[in-house]
Amino acid sequence: MRREHVLTTKELSRSDIEAVLDRAVDIARDPPDRSQYEDTILALLFFEPSTRTKMSFDTAMKRLGGTTVDLGPVGSSSVTKGESLADTVRVIEGYADGIVLRHPSEGAAKMASEFVDVPLINAGDGAGHHPTQTLLDLYTIRENVGFDDLSIGIMGDLKYGRTVHSLSHALTKLDARQHFISPESLRLPRSVRYDLHEAGANVREHTEIEDVLSSLDVLYVTRIQRERFHDENEYRKVAGQYHITPDLLEGADDDLIVMHPLPRVDEIAPDVDETAHAKYFQQAHNGVPVRMALLDLLLGGANK
Amino acid sequence: MTDHPTDNDRELRVSKIENGTVIDHVPGGQALKVLAILDIDGSTGETVSIGMNIPSEKLGRKDIVKVESRELSQNEVDVISLIAPDASINIIREFDVIEKSRVDRPATVTDVIACPNRNCITTQSEPVVSKFDVVDDGVRCIYCDTIVRDDLAEHIQTG
Ligand SMILES: [Zn+2]
């Protein structure tokens, strides 16, 4: 895989995805020589707080032997003084060998990539895409249940959940069976349904988890945000319906894995953590080797 | 000419214009959207004639829009093609059709449609123009993926 930018999972082929995951497996076992990266600087531009994703990239770059620079806390930078994103990234590309961008607006990474020559990685653009989250999700899925004949349930806020959008685009490349479980008001947005339809994806939509649970290899849970609901009662009804407990998981396959991009609120009961189904902390840890692999492939320390 | 002769007879119900543009073979009922695309609301003084739901061999029912003293820009023609893919554009000088052309659906439209997603990067003060891919029956923002289908005319950038 040799790409300038990583903006969405739509543009990644199955072999691109597998190249990153294979590299991550290698890196986890045998990290590359740190001296390759001693002059490499990665800029972390987070226009929206996301401590974990930012720390994960920071850790990944440093574990490879490089260094990072960042904007500092949002609010203290020139951005709040009205500088455009296009100007910011054009300045930063002079400092760094690669840019990681998290921004609250959809399409921000795509636009920013048009202004820079260094590789740019989308670390989340509003309700749009979050491709590196998907890569670590896929890494976790592959190491636990494999990609063959995969049946996955994706549950929660499917409308605004960018991790869901990126994941479902990638799953179409793997010919997975995708079951989407959400309240009617939070179903997948039209643009994502359009893409899945165009890609000929194997997709079903449901409102009840019980309808599909027993057929799943993976249950991917996302947070339903209270502020999406005008009516507190409506929220309570829905939140209760999507609460995963050990009792509920009695109805699932023994090998089912439960994933979550974290942070969770109360959609997964704490006592699920003790079951063999729970893989969300492992999933979070996988962020570092997967991002190391991606940085290694994009910044090409070996080519220096 | 693919027009059935009776179509021409029926067009006479809509007054002839001396100079300007006739947009023919607009799907029945869509004429007001064409006017919206052309930013015509009656306040600017153009003489406009509209025929709506005229029986047509080809479309079943069609609309015709005749605009006096106005020729269309390529952008306007591109956008009209999105709601009226079979439209023909006739340029009239001194009551004669001097040029007749079909619209072509472009692959993309640039800087003509404002993205309706208020959280799209193109709606903020960035040095970037809107760009939409033309899809089956609408257009799609290349930045935020938002699909605009039914209410296309409302998002035409004016001025
Ligand atoms: Zn947009």
Side-chain angles (χ1 to χ4, degrees):
Chain A
M1 176 174 141
R2 189 82 189 119
R3 277 183 182 278
E4 292 238 312
H5 309 296
V6 176
L7 305 176
T8 74
T9 50
K10 277 197 272 186
E11 70 217 5
L12 298 179
S13 66
R14 179 169 181 156
S15 66
D16 287 336
I17 291 166
E18 291 189 328
V20 177
L21 305 191
D22 290 346
R23 189 83 191 98
V25 171
D26 289 346
I27 278 180
R29 202 167 39 215
D30 179 23
D33 180 1
R34 294 172 60 86
S35 66
Q36 290 174 20
Y37 282 98
E38 65 189 358
D39 294 326
T40 303
I41 298 176
L42 181 67
L44 305 176
L45 303 190
F46 280 63
F47 291 94
E48 188 179 70
S50 170
T51 317
R52 294 153 200 241
T53 302
K54 188 173 161 185
M55 280 184 73
S56 168
F57 272 108
D58 196 19
T59 307
M61 188 73 257
K62 288 170 177 166
R63 281 212 187 285
L64 284 171
T67 50
T68 59
V69 290
D70 73 33
L71 276 182
V74 186
S76 66
S77 64
S78 59
V79 181
T80 47
K81 302 183 185 97
E83 183 179 70
S84 68
L85 173 62
D87 280 3
T88 305
V89 294
R90 278 182 284 190
V91 171
I92 303 294
E93 80 163 329
Y95 307 158
D97 302 294
I99 294 174
V100 177
L101 177 69
R102 161 70 65 98
H103 196 278
S105 297
E106 283 100 64
K110 164 125 181 101
M111 187 213 71
S113 74
E114 293 173 355
F115 289 90
V116 298
D117 289 325
V118 299
L120 186 139
I121 299 173
N122 184 5
D125 58 335
H129 301 272
H130 195 1
T132 65
Q133 174 71 43
T134 294
L135 290 168
L136 71 92
D137 293 341
L138 295 175
Y139 185 92
T140 310
I141 292 170
R142 195 175 74 167
E143 73 179 346
N144 282 285
V145 295
F147 284 166
D148 291 335
D149 199 27
L150 180 66
S151 176
I152 177 167
I154 304 178
M155 188 180 91
D157 179 354
L158 309 182
K159 186 172 185 182
Y160 299 99
R162 59 187 161 208
T163 59
V164 169
H165 306 160
S166 287
L167 181 59
S168 67
H169 290 308
L171 289 168
T172 63
K173 316 283 171 68
L174 307 178
D175 296 325
R177 289 186 298 284
Q178 303 185 56
H179 294 275
F180 293 97
I181 306 132
S182 74
E184 185 63 32
S185 60
L186 294 177
R187 65 191 284 236
L188 283 177
R190 177 199 263 180
S191 67
V192 178
R193 279 185 279 127
Y194 176 88
D195 282 327
L196 296 181
H197 179 75
E198 287 285 291
N202 186 339
V203 168
R204 298 241 148 68
E205 293 183 277
H206 313 265
T207 55
E208 310 290 332
I209 175 64
E210 288 84 353
D211 292 347
V212 286
L213 183 61
S214 63
S215 70
L216 303 178
D217 304 307
V218 178
L219 176 60
Y220 192 98
V221 185
T222 67
R223 188 160 46 101
I224 293 183
Q225 287 155 288
R226 186 167 295 188
E227 59 270 27
R228 304 286 184 213
F229 290 82
H230 301 298
D231 180 352
E232 178 73 14
N233 284 334
E234 232 0 76
Y235 167 74
R236 295 213 161 281
K237 211 167 77 192
V238 164
Q241 190 182 332
Y242 298 115
H243 183 58
I244 304 301
T245 61
D247 274 356
L248 180 81
L249 293 175
E250 293 287 315
D253 192 276
D254 287 346
D255 297 327
L256 171 88
I257 63 167
V258 178
M259 297 174 63
H260 192 299
L262 302 179
R264 67 175 151 169
V265 183
D266 53 8
E267 54 277 4
I268 301 176
D271 47 359
V272 173
D273 302 358
E274 310 308 320
T275 71
H277 300 296
K279 297 294 176 200
Y280 24 91
F281 294 114
Q282 181 191 349
Q283 182 188 352
H285 298 164
N286 287 337
V288 172
V290 169
R291 290 184 171 112
M292 285 172 78
L294 189 64
L295 292 172
D296 189 46
L297 289 164
L298 290 175
L299 303 181
N303 302 335
K304 282 190 177 175
Chain B
M1 290 296 120
T2 54
D3 275 359
H4 194 275
T6 57
D7 273 14
N8 287 330
D9 296 341
R10 282 168 177 144
E11 273 166 36
L12 293 175
R13 295 175 191 177
V14 182
S15 66
K16 277 195 168 243
I17 61 172
E18 184 174 356
N19 291 296
T21 304
V22 174
I23 304 150
D24 197 358
H25 297 108
V26 173
Q30 301 289 307
L32 296 176
K33 285 191 183 168
V34 171
L35 292 182
I37 289 166
L38 300 179
D39 201 22
I40 292 173
D41 62 5
S43 66
T44 44
E46 293 103 331
T47 302
V48 177
S49 321
I50 304 174
M52 287 178 89
N53 293 317
I54 299 165
S56 155
E57 291 284 323
K58 196 159 71 176
L59 297 177
R61 301 256 159 199
K62 69 171 187 175
D63 288 3
I64 302 177
V65 176
K66 302 188 179 192
V67 188
E68 193 81 54
S69 306
R70 166 123 174 220
E71 293 185 12
L72 308 187
S73 70
Q74 188 58 47
N75 269 351
E76 289 168 331
V77 173
D78 281 352
V79 179
I80 288 170
S81 76
L82 302 178
I83 61 160
D86 296 312
S88 58
I89 311 280
N90 305 283
I91 296 174
I92 314 291
R93 301 245 170 90
E94 295 178 349
F95 299 107
D96 281 331
V97 176
I98 62 141
E99 195 184 319
K100 184 173 180 122
S101 59
R102 278 283 160 79
V103 299
D104 265 327
R105 266 163 73 89
T108 59
V109 287
T110 302
D111 207 16
V112 292
I113 296 164
C115 187
N117 173 7
R118 286 184 304 166
N119 204 35
C120 175
I121 194 73
T122 63
T123 66
Q124 285 146 46
S125 35
E126 295 290 342
V128 64
V129 294
S130 76
K131 192 167 180 184
F132 283 78
D133 283 334
V134 177
V135 296
D136 292 353
D137 54 348
V139 296
R140 178 179 216 203
C141 177
I142 69 154
Y143 291 95
C144 74
D145 294 337
T146 295
I147 294 174
V148 187
R149 204 165 271 165
D150 312 322
D151 42 1
L152 207 55
E154 284 160 37
H155 302 295
I156 307 299
Q157 288 170 333
T158 51

